[in-house]
Amino acid sequence: MLDYAALLGLWQSFGAPANIYEVDASVEPLDDIVELARLAGMSGADPSAWHEFGPLLEIEQEPYLCTVFKPSRAVRLVDTGRWQVDDGTAHLELTDSEATFAAVQEAGFLRLLDEDQFTLSRVTRLHVATAERGQPAGDERVIDVGVVLTRQRDGLSFLGQGGNAVMYLGPDLRPTGFERTARRIAGVREAVSGWRGLDEVLAELEAYWGPWFGGTYTIEGVQLGYQELGRLEEQEVIQPVYAIDLDLAGGGGGEDAVPESEFLVQHLTPAAQNGFGPLMPSPEPAQEATRQE
């Protein structure tokens, strides 16, 4: 739990220049993604070969499948014969640094990171194991490693489901697939004019969670970073946000309140004085998002 003094010290560390960025939301043309698919091994990839499935566009050439998520223009390409497939014997015994080095080398060859700056977020491992019914699992192996790289801008990391590049590696350290959820940025929409103060944000928390939840809350942590949404969500601007981790107690107002219950949630709010919001769903009937005044 962070008390007021700790929060104030944290807020005073937020102050570097930053920007609000305009997202290039256009899907077409897809020539750059076709070129990416060709570099990955899809020699038959062609701009006219896309098939549309709702919000998805796909090109398939055995064993490869390339998918574009139209709302975000995120791209994923996998080798369907190797991506997260267990051959029965493989076991990757890689350190995080070894996996990261291999992933960055491959991402560079594919030009997956473009000119953006990315830093290591985490390394994931897909485990498999065998077991007899009623017996503990044995023969646990790692069959796939995912290296998650997060975009950086203006000294800030990206928060949310977007803003990443992921490289998946198989037992031979060759890629089994990759994805990029970092959106194309058209340019700076406007510079951050100043940062919203702690007292203003605390008043917003009280106004939002007090009447809606009807209990108490404690602040467990705060991050400042750029918010980027997931693959299937549209987004017009990328802006700095405060991501505030809350521990709620009280169970919510109304007849179904459970006084003993606790919930962990994350409250998102624009960090810039000239930011765009609100970012949280309204407890009242949905209202159109407007600039934060």
Side-chain angles (χ1 to χ4, degrees):
M1 180 180 71
L2 298 176
D3 59 18
Y4 185 85
L7 284 169
L8 185 60
L10 184 60
W11 240 256
Q12 291 171 345
S13 71
F14 299 148
N19 297 288
I20 298 172
Y21 291 98
E22 190 85 38
V23 172
D24 181 355
S26 60
V27 176
E28 301 287 352
L30 292 166
D31 297 357
D32 57 331
I33 294 180
V34 168
E35 179 60 25
L36 176 64
R38 288 172 179 167
L39 285 172
M42 295 183 69
S43 58
D46 185 89
S48 64
W50 293 101
H51 299 282
E52 187 169 0
F53 302 94
L56 308 181
L57 295 169
E58 292 186 346
I59 294 178
E60 187 170 9
Q61 178 189 338
E62 290 291 342
Y64 301 106
L65 176 64
C66 181
T67 304
V68 174
F69 300 80
K70 290 192 295 182
S72 65
R73 210 177 187 270
V75 59
R76 180 177 63 204
L77 188 148
V78 297
D79 180 337
T80 58
R82 299 172 58 243
W83 181 58
Q84 299 186 347
V85 173
D86 182 16
D87 64 5
T89 61
H91 182 26
L92 281 77
E93 298 184 86
L94 290 176
T95 65
D96 285 2
S97 54
E98 289 171 336
T100 301
F101 179 80
V104 170
Q105 292 289 103
E106 294 291 347
F109 169 75
L110 294 169
R111 300 197 289 271
L112 184 64
L113 308 182
D114 290 334
E115 297 179 358
D116 284 330
Q117 178 183 357
F118 286 79
T119 61
L120 176 66
S121 173
R122 62 190 183 279
V123 177
T124 66
R125 291 171 172 81
L126 179 60
H127 295 257
V128 297
T130 58
E132 298 293 336
R133 183 183 296 273
Q135 299 298 315
D139 187 30
E140 183 172 308
R141 294 175 290 110
V142 175
I143 63 170
D144 188 277
V145 170
V147 178
V148 184
L149 305 169
T150 298
R151 182 156 62 182
Q152 304 279 310
R153 285 226 168 190
D154 308 319
L156 299 177
S157 292
F158 277 65
L159 309 173
Q161 296 180 349
N164 297 319
V166 187
M167 182 65 68
Y168 299 97
L169 302 172
D172 54 4
L173 289 186
R174 290 195 302 113
T176 62
F178 58 82
E179 60 183 286
R180 178 183 166 115
T181 61
R183 285 166 168 78
R184 292 188 302 177
I185 293 177
V188 175
R189 180 161 182 164
E190 54 189 291
V192 169
S193 62
W195 300 105
R196 297 176 64 208
L198 172 60
D199 290 341
E200 179 185 352
V201 174
L202 290 178
E204 176 186 316
L205 290 176
E206 181 61 31
Y208 185 90
W209 290 104
W212 190 7
F213 192 74
T216 61
Y217 62 83
T218 57
I219 298 176
E220 301 293 333
V222 181
Q223 292 177 275
L224 170 64
Y226 284 108
Q227 182 197 31
E228 189 162 353
L229 303 178
R231 304 181 189 93
L232 294 175
E233 296 178 88
E234 296 181 352
Q235 186 170 358
E236 295 183 1
V237 298
I238 291 175
Q239 65 175 327
V241 301
Y242 294 127
I244 306 169
D245 296 323
L246 300 177
D247 185 349
L248 305 176
E255 298 178 357
D256 298 327
V258 184
E260 307 299 325
S261 65
E262 292 188 38
F263 300 90
L264 300 178
V265 300
Q266 188 173 74
H267 185 94
L268 296 173
T269 187
Q273 291 176 356
N274 56 330
F276 294 81
L279 303 179
M280 298 293 290
S282 174
E284 303 300 329
Q287 299 177 358
E288 184 179 352
T290 58
R291 176 186 289 279
Q292 187 83 13
E293 299 294 346

